[in-house]
Amino acid sequence: MQPTARVLAIKPYLQNILQCINQCAKEGAGQGTALRQWNITGPEYFEILMLPALLQQVRSTGRNWSLSVSRLGKDLPINELLASDTDVCFGFGPGYHQRHPLLGYRSLTEDSFVCLSSVAKHRPKSFLDIDEFCDAPHIFPTPWLSEKNMVDGWLEKQSRSRNIFTRANSYHAGVNILLAVPALIVIPEKIVATLNVPPTVKILQPPPGFPTFTLDLIWSRERTVHSDFHELEALIEKIKT
């Protein structure tokens, strides 16, 4: 059999197509083995409750990923998300952060607060009224960089404020301070089980009407065209609490 003139004419084009296909296959194989670093912004709440399980999922699925986590600030890193310098962000809702039309939002979990107290007069109690809450010396945990948080916003709406005795860089550090001085710290309820709370510290319900919150996944909507974003999103969905 001999190739026809038509076949000979299209042969160079077919060779180019095959070369392109082979090159794409090589690049795809290279991408599968290259390290993919995810730049994530989140509060300590995310690092305690979700990051360890997310890393387990990454390891068990054999993905060559590295997760670099930076601390959440007072505001969402909107510019960094839109510029793809930050891949995803974990923030709080509903309504605690500025919304942006080019960002996507998804609530992952809901939580409420409890009060941990080493104040002697709180020991017989099971909950605090607002006067007892405001009068106690408070430890202000700063698991994200902020001068105030949702508790202070709730108090301001009632024309009240609390007595900030000291600040701590983490929930764990705040609990340690309770062992040294009589004070009170507000902790998300799901975090309590991860802390070594001594029996001398009483766990109390906050005043009625105390705020609750959600942990939200936030990303640039442009990310949704990338398959690796959907892979990360699927892993997060598996481990959300």
Side-chain angles (χ1 to χ4, degrees), residues 177-191:
I177 294 172
L178 292 179
L179 299 178
V181 294
L184 182 147
I185 187 172
V186 178
I187 300 283
E189 189 170 13
K190 290 182 179 179
I191 293 292

Side-chain angles (χ1 to χ4, degrees), residues 80-101:
E80 290 81 359
L81 285 165
L82 296 178
S84 297
D85 295 329
T86 296
D87 293 299
V88 294
C89 175
F90 293 85
F92 294 110
Y96 295 119
H97 295 298
Q98 176 188 357
R99 290 269 179 165
H100 193 284

Side-chain angles (χ1 to χ4, degrees), residues 60-175:
S60 66
T61 55
R63 289 175 169 82
N64 191 16
W65 287 0
S66 171
L67 307 184
S68 175
V69 182
S70 59
R71 182 180 288 199
L72 178 67
K74 178 181 179 181
D75 301 312
L76 293 179
I78 293 175
N79 292 334
E80 290 81 359
L81 285 165
L82 296 178
S84 297
D85 295 329
T86 296
D87 293 299
V88 294
C89 175
F90 293 85
F92 294 110
Y96 295 119
H97 295 298
Q98 176 188 357
R99 290 269 179 165
H100 193 284
L102 297 181
L103 299 181
Y105 300 79
R106 174 179 296 172
S107 292
L108 301 175
T109 187
E110 297 181 12
D111 205 350
S112 56
F113 292 101
V114 293
C115 301
L116 274 57
S117 175
S118 58
V119 178
K121 64 181 180 181
H122 292 167
R123 289 206 59 79
K125 297 181 175 295
S126 57
F127 71 92
L128 298 175
D129 62 37
I130 193 166
D131 290 327
E132 294 166 328
F133 181 82
C134 292
D135 289 344
H138 279 249
I139 299 166
F140 188 108
T142 53
W144 65 96
L145 303 177
S146 177
E147 291 300 315
K148 295 182 179 181
N149 61 23
M150 59 192 76
V151 174
D152 299 291
W154 177 75
L155 288 170
E156 286 177 358
K157 291 178 181 178
Q158 303 177 73
S159 300
R160 303 295 297 265
S161 62
R162 55 180 175 160
N163 172 25
I164 303 298
F165 175 61
T166 189
R167 292 175 180 265
N169 285 329
S170 67
Y171 297 120
H172 182 76
V175 172

